[in-house]
Amino acid sequence: MGSIESDYVLRTPIEHRKHYAQFFTPVSLADVMTDWLVKKGDIVSVLEPAFGLGVFTRCLLEKKDNLDIKGFDVDEKIFNESRRIYGSQVNLLNQDYMHNDWNNKYDAIICNPPYFKFHNYDNKKIIDEIEARLSCKLNGFTNLYTLFLLKSIHQLNPGGRCAYIVPSEFLNSDYGRLVKRHLLKTRSLRHIIVFSFEDNLFEDALTTSCLVLCENSEDCETVRFTSLPTLNGTGLIKKCLDNDFPDNVFSREYAFSDLDPDVKWKNYYQECNVSKYGNLVPFSVYAKVMRGIATGANDFFIFNKSKAEEQHVGEEFLRPCVCRCADVKGSVFTEEDYQKLKEADKNVYLLDAVGVEDENVKRYLKSGIADGVDKKYLTSSRNPWYALENRLPSPIWVTVFNRKGLRFVRNQAGVSNLTTFHCVYPQRSLYNDVSDDLLFAYLQTDIAKEIFADNCREYGNGLQKFEPNDLNKGMMMDIALLPDHEKKKIEAMVRDCPESLPVKEIEIILLKYFQN
Ligand SMILES: C[S@@+](CC[C@H](N)C(=O)[O-])C[C@H]1O[C@@H](n2cnc3c(N)ncnc32)[C@H](O)[C@@H]1O
């Protein structure tokens, strides 16, 4: 961060910065991004759609004279500070970029757009406008930062260039498909560079970053994808922009016609694990993954033993449930483990009050109404408001966020789970009639995790997230094809000691039948 930005950060409450998504671009990154624009040579008109404190403008003015720079920032506070700093050097406007300036075009556009994890911006109105102006279709969940990008591409003069630094999320998420379709349709995309900084760039977003470089010309047939190891500086990005790709860098060019907007684009910038193995089928052939129970008001619905006693709510009105990932240590969760949590007064119950006539339960429900629990987002859409989602306990759970690869847990206690785990329900048919033991053993292997990793959403700091559908659509070895004697051998291992399986031994068996 430049000193102007760090000074601002020190003086400004974090709530204010979060409200406007004010996370600042490091000067070294702004420097390489502006290089991409300046290399074009004849640029005059420049747009900064999310100006902040103008780090890109400062870099540009050091490299080039006679620039005609326009900047937008919706926040009056930062706008006033920037106006003081830049005076007449920049035409600054205190306006929402998404709703203004549609008819102007620029030689260069550069931006670190606002990234909001949740959709606290009125996306609907702006999505309608973009769809109409760009004649494209977008998903209602499309994140604002990609809408900034699409609008900017639309505002490039012929031959104009734009450089955006954004989270890489859209490359591999569902809503990103239509954005990618547009990048291909306009033929503007030139280079995507994916990387994570040791110090995370999008502090709160926990996501890998990606540099999107575009040009408004149709004379280019290819797009380059580059994926960098974790960076502690921008030297490597600079090299890649000079077409110098060291050995530890993955970089490949693809013809526009070979790029598919409907697949995860990590396929284009990461070596794929799937290709190492044969006879793979979608995981949904063997199991259905669904998210755990969302209560909509955990404080109200979750109970431990002492709260149950205090409120005189009997155990018959409480559904056994695991509420935190940290409460489940190993790969098997037994009835004994559940009892231990209960005795340790951990949260282990969910209120299950539908149709209950008990006076104490009724009194507790009334206290919920008094506190407005019935008016919350999820509860207000349920009938009655305190009904729990109708989700049976699943025999296997899987963790949602992972640092060391997926963790599958055998739920021998038969209890429910909140959203900290996804539920895995084994599916059987004539062709995939394998036991839960065999499926569980497969899921404990590093091979299974490696193959699933092709489908996860990547975040910064080594964090992987799997949505239920990432797993349903992920691949697994078609373990029904294993010969019977191998199946029996693995099942016996599970029966002997499920909590510490000889995983390497199981992998040796799998590799005999599934390695390409
Ligand atoms: C991620 S910061 C980037 C600031 C600066 N360009 C940088 O890279 O350091 C995004 C900036 O966009 C502003 N912003 C947020 N929503 C906006 C909108 N709809 N239109 C224009 N500016 C917006 C925020 O106030 C913030 O200053």
Side-chain angles (χ1 to χ4, degrees):
M1 231 187 302
S3 57
I4 294 181
E5 282 79 8
S6 24
D7 176 54
Y8 176 87
V9 167
L10 286 177
R11 285 184 284 111
T12 310
I14 180 76
E15 294 73 33
H16 181 87
R17 295 203 295 121
K18 275 192 176 163
H19 181 74
Y20 290 104
Q22 289 172 349
F23 296 101
F24 300 104
T25 312
V27 177
S28 58
L29 184 60
D31 179 50
V32 288
M33 288 170 69
T34 46
D35 273 353
W36 159 258
L37 305 183
V38 170
K39 271 188 192 148
K40 184 70 185 170
D42 51 352
I43 59 169
V44 178
S45 54
V46 177
L47 175 68
E48 262 213 61
F51 195 82
L53 293 157
V55 65
F56 297 120
T57 287
R58 292 204 300 283
C59 285
L60 278 169
L61 290 174
E62 274 179 20
K63 295 178 189 179
K64 228 171 153 25
D65 302 322
N66 299 326
L67 292 175
D68 178 7
I69 304 179
K70 190 193 274 186
F72 282 86
D73 205 296
V74 80
D75 170 25
E76 197 178 348
K77 174 176 156 66
I78 211 164
F79 161 80
N80 282 328
E81 299 217 3
S82 279
R83 206 164 48 169
R84 262 198 307 277
I85 299 169
Y86 299 96
S88 59
Q89 277 183 303
V90 179
N91 175 12
L92 263 181
L93 298 162
N94 180 207
Q95 293 174 358
D96 184 329
Y97 170 62
M98 293 313 295
H99 291 287
N100 291 285
D101 205 44
W102 273 98
N103 296 325
N104 291 318
K105 305 266 175 188
Y106 301 87
D107 300 331
I109 303 182
I110 186 158
C111 191
N112 171 358
Y115 172 78
F116 296 107
K117 196 157 173 202
F118 303 104
H119 302 269
N120 47 355
Y121 182 86
D122 179 12
N123 274 3
K124 171 83 181 83
K125 218 160 103 207
I126 191 61
I127 285 177
D128 288 349
E129 182 156 12
I130 294 209
E131 287 185 339
R133 299 230 187 213
L134 309 188
S135 325
C136 67
K137 190 87 205 94
L138 292 170
N139 176 317
F141 290 108
T142 309
N143 202 302
L144 180 64
Y145 71 94
T146 54
L147 302 177
F148 263 66
L149 174 65
L150 295 183
K151 177 167 186 260
S152 290
I153 290 172
H154 174 76
Q155 289 187 271
L156 286 177
N157 272 329
R161 282 187 167 185
C162 96
Y164 259 67
I165 174 76
V166 291
S168 60
E169 181 189 78
F170 82 102
L171 300 173
N172 302 305
S173 69
D174 262 358
Y175 75 76
R177 287 164 46 196
L178 296 155
V179 177
K180 292 184 288 185
R181 188 173 297 268
H182 194 72
L183 292 179
L184 297 180
K185 188 174 114 190
T186 54
R187 286 201 159 233
S188 53
L189 187 59
R190 291 294 172 271
H191 196 167
I192 287 185
I193 304 178
V194 181
F195 58 91
S196 48
F197 266 117
E198 257 170 15
D199 287 334
N200 205 312
L201 190 58
F202 300 101
E203 296 170 40
D204 274 9
L206 265 184
T207 175
T208 322
S209 315
C210 118
L211 211 57
V212 181
L213 304 174
C214 300
E215 185 172 315
N216 179 19
S217 59
E218 294 200 349
D219 56 0
C220 182
E221 297 295 324
T222 56
V223 179
R224 182 175 279 284
F225 285 82
T226 302
S227 144
L228 304 179
T230 303
L231 300 178
N232 49 21
T234 47
L236 210 47
I237 304 185
K238 219 175 175 65
K239 273 189 174 194
C240 295
L241 288 178
D242 289 334
N243 281 329
D244 173 7
F245 301 101
D247 284 347
N248 56 344
V249 164
F250 178 94
S251 188
R252 200 172 280 170
E253 250 181 336
Y254 299 84
F256 270 105
S257 51
D258 286 342
L259 294 175
D260 180 351
D262 294 327
V263 302
K264 291 180 190 257
W265 278 10
K266 65 164 43 172
N267 293 345
Y268 302 132
Y269 62 82
Q270 265 176 16
E271 303 278 17
C272 197
N273 293 313
V274 160
S275 55
K276 290 194 231 161
Y277 307 108
N279 282 323
L280 301 184
V281 290
F283 188 54
S284 55
V285 169
Y286 281 94
K288 187 170 164 67
V289 182
M290 294 173 82
R291 81 169 159 66
I293 296 174
T295 66
N298 282 350
D299 285 350
F300 179 78
F301 287 103
I302 292 177
F303 278 66
N304 57 8
K305 213 169 142 212
S306 25
K307 179 174 166 187
E309 282 164 11
E310 241 166 62
Q311 298 291 341
H312 306 290
V313 172
E315 227 176 329
E316 64 273 36
F317 310 123
L318 296 169
R319 190 189 292 185
C321 182
V322 154
C323 301
R324 287 168 66 230
C325 208
D327 288 344
V328 178
K329 300 285 182 234
S331 55
V332 178
F333 185 75
T334 61
E335 176 58 33
E336 201 187 330
D337 293 327
Y338 178 72
Q339 292 304 332
K340 274 191 197 149
L341 289 179
K342 202 186 322 184
E343 292 317 315
D345 212 19
K346 300 278 186 194
N347 289 324
V348 288
Y349 300 114
L350 286 182
L351 180 67
D352 197 356
V354 176
V356 171
E357 289 300 328
D358 180 87
E359 286 310 317
N360 291 316
V361 172
K362 283 189 181 165
R363 189 172 25 79
Y364 186 70
L365 290 176
K366 265 195 198 142
S367 75
I369 295 176
D371 291 342
V373 180
D374 58 328
K375 302 277 182 317
K376 290 189 170 252
Y377 182 67
L378 287 180
T379 51
S380 62
S381 63
R382 291 183 178 148
N383 186 15
W385 62 270
Y386 48 86
L388 285 179
E389 283 173 311
N390 192 11
R391 194 144 301 172
L392 289 175
S394 64
I396 298 173
W397 298 324
V398 59
T399 43
V400 175
F401 278 106
N402 305 274
R403 270 189 203 290
K404 297 185 205 137
L406 286 163
R407 182 159 73 100
F408 287 91
V409 178
R410 189 66 184 271
N411 171 20
Q412 285 183 345
V415 303
S416 296
N417 56 291
L418 294 190
T419 52
T420 173
F421 288 106
H422 295 319
C423 309
V424 179
Y425 298 99
Q427 307 285 302
R428 297 228 157 65
S429 79
L430 216 50
Y431 305 104
N432 64 356
D433 189 16
V434 305
S435 63
D436 291 359
D437 282 347
L438 182 60
L439 179 63
F440 173 70
Y442 169 78
L443 294 173
Q444 293 304 310
T445 64
D446 288 339
I447 297 177
K449 295 169 194 170
E450 185 190 10
I451 299 175
F452 276 125
D454 283 342
N455 240 29
C456 71
R457 288 155 205 242
E458 327 136 43
Y459 287 70
N461 308 337
L463 199 62
Q464 298 177 324
K465 182 179 186 194
F466 289 85
E467 296 292 353
N469 262 344
D470 296 335
L471 290 162
N472 286 324
K473 291 181 193 164
M475 303 298 278
M476 71 171 273
M477 291 171 168
D478 194 359
I479 49 179
L481 299 178
L482 284 169
D484 278 348
H485 72 278
E486 303 282 25
K487 287 182 187 161
K488 289 204 173 96
K489 199 157 137 191
I490 297 173
E491 284 162 353
M493 292 175 192
V494 180
R495 275 197 305 279
D496 284 353
C497 192
E499 62 283 353
S500 67
L501 285 177
V503 168
K504 288 290 156 234
E505 234 177 278
I506 298 172
E507 289 182 347
I508 291 170
I509 299 177
L510 294 173
L511 289 176
K512 266 201 282 183
Y513 300 95
F514 295 99
Q515 198 162 30
N516 269 336

